[in-house]
Amino acid sequence: MTTPVVKNNFLPPGLVSNLEQVLLSRKTDGGEDGESSNPNEKEDDSSNKGDSSEPSVDDGSKPIILVTNSDGIESPGLSYLVEALVREGLYNVHVCAPQSDKSTSGHSLSLKETIEVVSVDINGATAYEVSGTPVDCVSLALCGSLFTWSKPLLVISGINKGFSCGHHMFYSGVVAGAREALVNGVPSISISLNCDRKKDGSKESDFKDAVTVCLPLIQAMIRDVEKDVFPKSCSLNVEIPTSPLTNKGFKVTRQSLWRSTLIWQAISGTRHQAASRFASQQNNAMQLAQLGRDASAAGAARRLATQKKNIEIVESVGAAGKSDFKRTVKYFRLEMLDKEQEEEDEDLDFKALENDFVAVTPISLSMPVETETKIAASEWISSALQVEQ
């Protein structure tokens, strides 16, 4: 089965739905152009349009589910998940996801930056792609400016490629999307599919299987949130093993200290310029387009003039700065290298994942401090303040 196609659609989803219904109401069995020769037949058709098997995007009687991710809106994990939720026919599914891969964006916001939001066509769902981070997507969706609601029943972040165990939770965009929902008082779940990153990930069918595995847990969460029996101030981080359908079952786990080694590799200036020339051209085009969106022609002209002036000042300083200072420019590229872990507790997230369990780690906003650490810190603070006095 192929991944559901996501297409740009610059018309509001509600308007598109209305137009589709009008066009469908005009179709008859006779005539290739869909025109009806009998006006009464049009009335009959329009009266029966409620019998359509297409899912209703704006059914107010259904609970609202918000889906985001960090791999980008065209990722197979998100597409298969949304398709499955829509197929259930029980929810109003809304999507607000990044335009591109933001997997290691962490809990970052695009503060004081203008982001672009574009409606996209995902069958049965109201969907937007955002030129920002997963946290931007969730924060925007919950503010009440984008959708007609401000608080969904549940926020689902995923399904993402690659695990988010241990310290990776701090870097992970998919976990951050779920955490932002929790900050706003909305129950949430983040889902990741483990894969061999060195071999460039999993097959699309693996994501479909991952949906099959995690859907019962999602359904249980929705049911218990509706009943108000789901734990308060709690988010779940779910890690699915590489072969989803051969998993050994669900296992409640604790966040481990698992982490990658961050390797910064020096890159030569010549190599960097060759590799980044095309990217620079794209960035310049995006910046010019952003200016056009941000302001009127006069405002854009003023901003361009200001930027040009600033560039001239910087270039002047660089070219004719202090004679006793020689500026040095270096380039580096970051890579993550897996390292051996010494922790052996079977209840840790990465250990359960290694043993082919579906690891489910509860997350809260409060970061618990071990008693021994708290006592030691209290003693140090007291002694440090006494010395200062």
Side-chain angles (χ1 to χ4, degrees):
M1 181 175 181
T2 58
T3 305
V5 178
V6 179
K7 299 179 180 177
N8 285 332
N9 179 10
F10 296 99
L11 293 176
L15 177 58
V16 173
S17 178
N18 290 340
L19 289 173
E20 289 176 345
Q21 289 181 356
V22 170
L23 292 174
L24 286 172
S25 69
R26 294 179 178 178
K27 291 184 178 181
T28 62
D29 293 334
E32 295 180 357
D33 58 359
E35 294 279 343
S36 174
S37 59
N38 187 346
N40 294 329
E41 290 181 5
K42 291 185 180 180
E43 295 179 2
D44 293 339
D45 287 344
S46 62
S47 66
N48 292 330
K49 63 184 179 183
D51 296 334
S52 173
S53 60
E54 290 293 324
S56 174
V57 176
D58 298 314
D59 186 349
S61 65
K62 299 177 181 178
I64 296 171
I65 306 299
L66 174 66
V67 182
T68 189
N69 73 347
S70 64
D71 282 348
I73 196 159
E74 294 186 350
S75 68
L78 182 141
S79 297
Y80 281 123
L81 176 60
V82 171
E83 181 185 52
L85 292 171
V86 169
R87 193 187 308 121
E88 291 283 309
L90 302 175
Y91 323 114
N92 275 333
V93 183
H94 292 70
V95 181
C96 191
Q99 288 177 347
S100 57
D101 191 347
K102 302 289 183 181
S103 294
T104 54
S105 60
H107 208 105
S108 60
L109 282 165
S110 301
L111 186 64
K112 296 182 179 179
E113 296 180 18
T114 301
I115 62 173
E116 181 183 63
V117 181
V118 181
S119 60
V120 295
D121 181 18
I122 300 181
N123 187 33
T126 302
Y128 292 93
E129 62 178 21
V130 178
S131 63
T133 67
V135 175
D136 288 330
C137 295
V138 174
S139 177
L140 175 62
L142 300 185
C143 77
S145 297
L146 182 61
F147 298 111
T148 56
W149 46 265
S150 59
K151 191 170 183 179
L153 184 74
L154 179 69
V155 171
I156 307 173
S157 186
I159 298 171
N160 262 51
K161 178 175 69 175
F163 58 82
S164 300
C165 296
H167 286 183
H168 271 228
M169 287 191 191
F170 300 113
Y171 302 120
S172 170
V174 69
V175 175
R179 190 189 300 117
E180 180 64 19
L182 200 58
V183 169
N184 288 273
V186 180
S188 60
I189 179 172
S190 54
I191 308 170
S192 300
L193 171 62
N194 189 23
C195 62
D196 190 341
R197 289 176 293 173
K198 296 178 181 178
K199 296 181 179 179
D200 197 26
S202 305
K203 303 185 296 292
E204 286 198 9
S205 59
D206 292 333
F207 289 99
K208 185 178 180 181
D209 294 340
V211 171
T212 301
V213 170
C214 68
L215 197 56
L217 180 61
I218 292 173
Q219 293 167 335
M221 283 190 70
I222 293 172
R223 180 193 64 223
D224 287 351
V225 170
E226 283 188 300
K227 293 179 179 179
D228 200 26
V229 296
F230 185 77
K232 303 295 183 184
S233 302
C234 178
S235 178
L236 300 180
N237 181 48
V238 179
E239 304 290 329
I240 301 174
T242 306
S243 299
L245 296 184
T246 61
N247 74 84
K248 296 179 180 178
F250 289 82
K251 189 169 189 177
V252 179
T253 55
R254 295 181 291 111
Q255 182 180 357
S256 65
L257 300 179
W258 193 99
R259 67 184 182 91
S260 296
T261 301
L262 302 184
I263 306 295
W264 286 96
Q265 295 185 345
I267 305 296
S268 69
T270 304
R271 181 178 167 191
H272 167 77
Q273 292 171 6
S276 64
R277 186 176 297 115
F278 180 69
S280 297
Q281 292 173 350
Q282 284 185 318
N283 288 336
N284 290 337
M286 290 177 64
Q287 290 172 4
L288 289 173
Q290 188 70 60
L291 287 173
R293 288 189 295 266
D294 281 349
S296 63
R302 287 195 298 272
R303 290 186 62 182
L304 282 170
T306 303
Q307 290 179 352
K308 184 176 180 181
K309 182 178 179 181
N310 291 339
I311 291 172
E312 289 173 352
I313 293 173
V314 171
E315 289 177 345
S316 175
V317 171
K322 295 181 180 180
S323 57
D324 59 346
F325 176 74
K326 184 178 180 181
R327 203 170 78 171
T328 303
V329 179
K330 298 182 178 181
Y331 301 98
F332 295 87
R333 185 187 303 276
L334 176 62
E335 294 183 3
M336 284 186 169
L337 181 66
D338 292 347
K339 62 180 295 184
E340 293 293 329
Q341 305 300 313
E342 298 179 357
E343 297 175 292
E344 296 297 334
D345 191 335
E346 299 296 326
D347 290 332
L348 295 175
D349 50 12
F350 84 93
K351 202 67 180 177
L353 191 61
E354 282 184 353
N355 293 330
D356 292 327
F357 286 96
V358 178
V360 183
T361 305
I363 300 175
S364 67
L365 295 178
S366 60
M367 300 183 65
V369 180
E370 294 181 2
T371 303
E372 184 178 338
T373 302
K374 186 176 181 179
I375 293 173
S378 298
E379 292 176 350
W380 179 87
I381 293 170
S382 299
S383 61
L385 293 176
Q386 288 176 0
V387 171
E388 289 295 324
Q389 293 174 356

